[in-house]
Amino acid sequence: LAKTTQPISMDSYEGQEVNITCSHNNIATNDYITWYQQFPSQGPRFIIQGYKTKVTNEVASLFIPADRKSSTLSLPRVSLSDTAVYYCLVGDLMNTGFQKLVFGTGTRLLVSP
Amino acid sequence: GAVVSQHPSWVICKSGTSVKIECRSLDFQATTMFWYRQFPKQSLMLMATSNEGSKATYEQGVEKDKFLINHASLTLSTLTVTSAHPEDSSFYICSAPTPPGQGKTEAFFGQGTRLTVV
């Protein structure tokens, strides 16, 4: 699985937009990019997944440039409940081995009032 | 969406005893499940891959005789921490892949089990 690099932590305030960037310089052609969210003492929760350009769902947007060597998770108007650790992972969507997720350090987001 | 349930959510045991943690896929079949361990303020570390009907595959450095994995059915995998010691205290999490035909791939995680060995 391609190695990923994220900031260790980020701070924000309620109502702001938060962008978390992940670097994955050796991403392979078949690799997809997936982001998970984890609250304390809970299992990770799927947020969003994409291959290229932009993906948007009800909770976040994922921006992927043409070279796919990085990606940015965008959380619009964060609230206190968005305080969590966010993990970026890349892997081959079609290979069951992708489901064997290898987590990096993640980004610890703290949202303050 | 698919649901993975772990039991118990937390357990306290005495040093030297064994503890079993169950991971169930509630509304889908999972021929493969994964077990992770997470220490405070750290990321998830993959321990092993649980395969229905065959032996588990352990990651390097994980003792297979200490962390016994049994995948007896298509909906249940168990992790038994044998002869537990305080250093085994951790948060254990299981996951199962997306069932086929869903149109996307994501892993579904259990809620985790907090193990404290005293």
Side-chain angles (χ1 to χ4, degrees):
Chain A
L1 297 175
K3 182 178 178 179
T4 60
T5 303
Q6 307 173 230
I8 295 295
S9 63
M10 294 183 68
D11 295 321
S12 184
Y13 293 95
E14 282 188 295
Q16 289 189 335
E17 177 185 76
V18 172
N19 296 307
I20 306 174
T21 297
C22 178
S23 296
H24 27 80
N25 291 319
N26 58 340
I27 188 169
T29 302
N30 293 331
D31 286 345
Y32 278 67
I33 301 154
T34 309
W35 286 78
Y36 285 82
Q37 175 192 55
Q38 186 184 27
F39 297 113
S41 296
Q42 293 187 26
R45 182 176 72 102
F46 174 91
I47 300 176
I48 198 166
Q49 185 177 77
Y51 183 81
K52 63 180 180 180
T53 61
K54 176 184 176 182
V55 179
T56 297
N57 61 22
E58 62 275 10
V59 297
S61 294
L62 178 60
F63 299 92
I64 306 169
D67 66 5
R68 304 201 324 122
K69 293 183 182 300
S70 67
S71 59
T72 299
L73 174 71
S74 181
L75 304 173
R77 298 180 297 281
V78 294
S79 63
L80 297 178
S81 62
D82 292 317
T83 293
V85 179
Y86 293 82
Y87 294 97
C88 161
L89 297 98
V90 296
D92 186 350
L93 193 69
M94 302 307 296
N95 184 352
T96 302
F98 171 64
Q99 305 288 4
K100 187 177 88 169
L101 300 174
V102 177
F103 286 78
T105 58
T107 298
R108 192 172 298 272
L109 173 65
L110 175 61
V111 180
S112 301
Chain B
V3 177
V4 173
S5 178
Q6 265 183 258
H7 178 82
S9 297
W10 59 270
V11 59
I12 301 174
C13 72
K14 291 185 178 181
S15 186
T17 61
S18 296
V19 174
K20 180 184 287 187
I21 302 170
E22 294 186 345
C23 179
R24 294 181 183 274
S25 55
L26 296 186
D27 51 0
F28 67 102
Q29 294 181 337
T31 56
T32 303
M33 291 185 178
F34 303 97
W35 286 95
Y36 297 82
R37 180 167 57 180
Q38 186 175 34
F39 292 107
K41 304 287 187 185
Q42 294 187 24
S43 184
L44 285 80
M45 184 192 77
L46 179 66
M47 299 176 66
T49 302
S50 175
N51 304 299
E52 189 271 334
S54 64
K55 292 183 179 180
T57 304
Y58 291 82
E59 296 298 306
Q60 189 173 10
V62 178
E63 299 176 60
K64 63 180 181 180
D65 293 330
K66 181 170 184 60
F67 299 99
L68 301 180
I69 292 174
N70 188 329
H71 199 141
S73 76
L74 290 172
T75 59
L76 174 65
S77 174
T78 60
L79 169 68
T80 301
V81 183
T82 63
S83 186
H85 291 285
E87 57 265 31
D88 298 323
S89 299
S90 188
F91 191 56
Y92 292 86
I93 310 169
C94 69
S95 76
T98 311
Q102 295 284 315
K104 63 178 180 179
T105 300
E106 65 178 273
F108 299 97
F109 288 83
Q111 67 268 44
T113 298
R114 174 76 58 193
L115 170 63
T116 302
V117 184
V118 298

